[in-house]
Amino acid sequence: MKRDAAVDLLDRLHAAQNEFYGGGSGDALEQLLAADIAWTVPGDNRIAGAYHGVNEVFDYFRRRRDLAGGTFRMTRRDVLVGDGDRIAALTDGAAAIGGADHAWSTVGLYDVADGRIAACWLLALDQQAFDAIWSGLI
């Protein structure tokens, strides 16, 4: 995948996610996801899990939105591409959770099929802090 195409796809994905997390309908977001999408969030927290299909992935997105009270925002920092249809993206997240402002960084590994996100593995750079944030422990 060409870097420009990968950046464009991720920018559209993050814009659609930010719109959804802010209370939007999710229509633009759904258009970017493959019907049989798989989304994996490792860890020991309220959003961790393996989600399959658009319905389960949207349930996960709703849980994130609700836990963050509509404050969750993502900012892409860098993108790595190579041969094939896989993208790695360094992304910063921020949200007010449990009455406190939090920030973290992740690497998202994305598989792309027919111009849509077919799979995502979310890898926190500091898993312990990520788990504490999304568990409401800090």
Side-chain angles (χ1 to χ4, degrees):
M1 172 171 273
K2 301 272 188 213
R3 188 176 196 290
D4 290 345
V7 167
D8 177 66
L9 177 59
L10 289 179
D11 284 351
R12 289 185 292 127
L13 176 67
H14 290 162
Q17 285 178 295
N18 286 339
E19 187 266 336
F20 179 76
Y21 291 139
S25 69
D27 292 342
L29 180 55
E30 187 171 357
Q31 296 303 311
L32 296 169
L33 306 178
D36 60 347
I37 188 167
W39 201 285
T40 304
V41 182
D44 184 17
N45 61 68
R46 296 178 290 184
I47 63 169
Y51 307 96
H52 302 280
V54 172
N55 290 336
E56 284 187 15
V57 170
F58 262 87
D59 287 345
Y60 154 73
F61 290 156
R62 277 187 211 82
R63 187 173 317 113
R64 280 179 109 173
R65 179 180 65 189
D66 294 346
L67 290 169
T71 66
F72 178 53
R73 295 292 176 268
M74 299 166 49
T75 305
R76 177 188 48 80
R77 294 295 175 208
D78 205 357
V79 173
L80 177 66
V81 297
D83 295 334
D85 292 321
R86 187 160 280 166
I87 304 168
L90 177 62
T91 304
D92 292 341
I97 301 171
D101 291 333
H102 298 283
W104 59 90
S105 295
T106 60
V107 172
L109 299 176
Y110 299 91
D111 277 344
V112 178
D114 297 322
R116 293 179 178 219
I117 303 298
C120 175
W121 297 267
L122 189 64
L123 308 169
L125 297 186
D126 183 340
Q127 188 66 54
Q128 185 176 11
F130 188 83
D131 284 343
I133 290 166
W134 287 104
S135 295
L137 300 176
I138 59 173

